Amino acid sequence: MNFDFDVAGEVRFLQMSKLGDLRFEAYESSKIYKDQTNKWHDAIIVKKYIGLGDLILLFNSKVKVFPGKLRSRWSGPFKVMGISPYGAFELWSDEEEGTFKVNRQRVKRYYEGDDKGPIEVLYLREPFPKEETS
C-alpha cells in the first residue's frame, strides 16, 4: 500500500477548516442566546426608587443563624435620612438612638397598608345545611 501524503494533508486541512467553521458558528449562536437572555432579564427588572424620608425595611442576615419558619428576616421600618452617591443609605429609627449606614442591597421599600375598615367575606358556595335531630 502506498499513501499519498499530499492528498492526506489536503483532507486533513479541509477537516480542520470545517472544525473551525463549526466552532465559529457555535460561538455566534452562544453570543446571540446570551444577548437575548440579557435583554429579557433587563426587561423584567424593577428599579428601586427610594428617596429621602421614605420608609424602608432592612434585611437581617443574622436571622439565618437562628432558624425559624415563620420568623421574618426583615426588620423596620426605618426612615431614610441620607443617601450617598454610591448607594449607601443613612437610616434612622425610633427605637435606636442616632443613625446608621447600610448598603443599598439590604433594603426594600416599606408600603403602609390602607385601613379600609372591616373586610367583607364572600362564600362561593353555601355551606352544608345542618341536619336537624329530633
Side-chain angles (χ1 to χ4, degrees):
M1 288 180 88
N2 192 2
F3 291 112
D4 189 6
F5 290 111
D6 292 335
V7 174
E10 280 185 33
V11 170
R12 183 67 176 158
F13 179 74
L14 290 174
Q15 288 176 345
M16 295 298 285
S17 173
K18 287 181 183 178
L19 184 63
D21 290 343
L22 286 174
R23 205 177 276 149
F24 180 73
E25 287 176 17
Y27 173 77
E28 285 297 317
S29 169
S30 173
K31 187 172 189 261
I32 291 169
Y33 172 76
K34 286 180 183 179
D35 290 342
Q36 289 176 347
T37 305
N38 284 340
K39 282 181 188 176
W40 175 79
H41 184 264
D42 292 345
I44 63 171
I45 290 179
V46 178
K47 296 267 185 186
K48 289 192 239 179
Y49 293 106
I50 299 174
L52 292 176
D54 288 345
L55 294 176
I56 61 172
L57 296 174
L58 176 64
F59 182 73
N60 188 0
S61 58
K62 294 179 184 176
V63 175
K64 292 180 184 176
V65 177
F66 306 104
K69 262 188 180 177
L70 301 176
R71 189 165 180 178
S72 176
R73 294 184 182 185
W74 296 94
S75 58
F78 299 98
K79 188 173 185 178
V80 177
M81 300 305 287
I83 303 172
S84 74
Y86 297 106
F89 287 103
E90 189 173 353
L91 304 180
W92 178 81
S93 172
D94 291 335
E95 299 165 359
E96 299 180 19
E97 295 294 325
T99 60
F100 58 97
K101 288 190 177 187
V102 296
N103 194 341
R104 163 179 247 132
Q105 296 172 345
R106 294 186 57 205
V107 299
K108 70 177 179 180
R109 193 171 195 147
Y110 174 72
Y111 297 100
E112 293 184 77
D114 295 333
D115 187 19
K116 297 186 180 187
I119 299 173
E120 182 180 339
V121 178
L122 175 67
Y123 293 104
L124 299 176
R125 173 176 8 161
E126 292 294 323
F128 292 114
K130 293 182 181 177
E131 295 181 13
E132 295 180 17
T133 56
S134 333

